[in-house]
Amino acid sequence: MVDVYHPDADILANQTDFGQCANRDDPECTGQPYSSYFNPFFWMFILGQTLHGIGSTPLFSIGTTFMDENVSQKASPVYLAIHAVLTSFGPVVGVFAGGFLLNLYDDFDRVERIPMERSDPRWVGAWWVGFIISSVSALLIAFPILAFARELPEAKRHRAKDVNQCHAANGDVNEKAPRDLTKLPACCY
């Protein structure tokens, strides 16, 4: 558990850089430590972003394939467009929600009186609340997604129809597509 945030009163002494040393050759900055990549919170952040990337990859690769294979060719573009719009809309909602959460004080759950105004340069917003909300909602959504069948009931009928369309495009006059999918021409894969 991290301690409650106590803002430094010395930061306001230098209004130009708010206590950060931009020039290491400046005599005032010689005693201040450099930031380090050995900070455990930095590596926790890197691990979290890596897990987020790993977890969202199936949504785009497997999810798109699942939709395309389980609906008809006429309905497939509509579902893929809805998927694209929602995956584009999600980050926009996240930016606005994150902006709102930065207006909350970082330790709002542990302090009774907020020690400063939002316009103060020492203000730290509650950025971490968005990660908690996202992880809980991802866990809640994961259970219905895990309950999906490997193949929807109508998938075989849609595949057979797609194979018939492929044969019609090749000029085959045979209305019935072969039942053995390994004997399909290359265009039908």
Side-chain angles (χ1 to χ4, degrees), residues 69-86:
E69 287 184 355
N70 288 293
V71 297
S72 68
Q73 280 187 340
K74 286 184 178 181
S76 181
V78 174
Y79 287 108
L80 293 174
I82 291 170
H83 178 260
V85 166
L86 292 179

Side-chain angles (χ1 to χ4, degrees), residues 7-148:
D8 244 349
D10 297 338
I11 291 178
L12 289 179
N14 187 354
Q15 290 287 335
T16 57
D17 61 8
F18 301 116
Q20 301 192 357
C21 289
N23 184 4
R24 288 287 169 184
D25 297 331
D26 188 356
E28 293 180 15
C29 296
T30 54
Q32 294 188 7
Y34 288 98
S35 61
S36 172
Y37 289 115
F38 296 114
N39 187 335
F41 297 117
F42 172 76
W43 289 108
M44 187 183 306
F45 178 76
I46 294 296
L47 175 67
Q49 291 299 319
T50 303
L51 292 175
H52 176 262
I54 291 169
S56 64
T57 299
L59 174 68
F60 295 100
S61 57
I62 299 171
T64 305
T65 305
F66 185 80
M67 279 189 293
D68 191 42
E69 287 184 355
N70 288 293
V71 297
S72 68
Q73 280 187 340
K74 286 184 178 181
S76 181
V78 174
Y79 287 108
L80 293 174
I82 291 170
H83 178 260
V85 166
L86 292 179
T87 54
S88 301
F89 188 63
V92 173
V93 171
V95 166
F96 283 111
F100 170 75
L101 291 173
L102 289 177
N103 289 324
L104 297 175
Y105 186 64
D106 183 51
D107 292 317
F108 70 90
D109 59 331
R110 297 190 280 176
V111 295
E112 291 180 23
R113 189 183 74 76
I114 297 175
M116 68 190 84
E117 297 292 321
R118 284 196 329 248
S119 59
D120 194 318
R122 299 172 297 168
W123 177 271
V124 175
W127 56 270
W128 52 272
V129 176
F131 285 92
I132 292 175
I133 293 170
S134 296
S135 60
V136 168
S137 63
L139 283 173
L140 291 176
I141 292 170
F143 291 113
I145 290 176
L146 288 172
F148 271 35

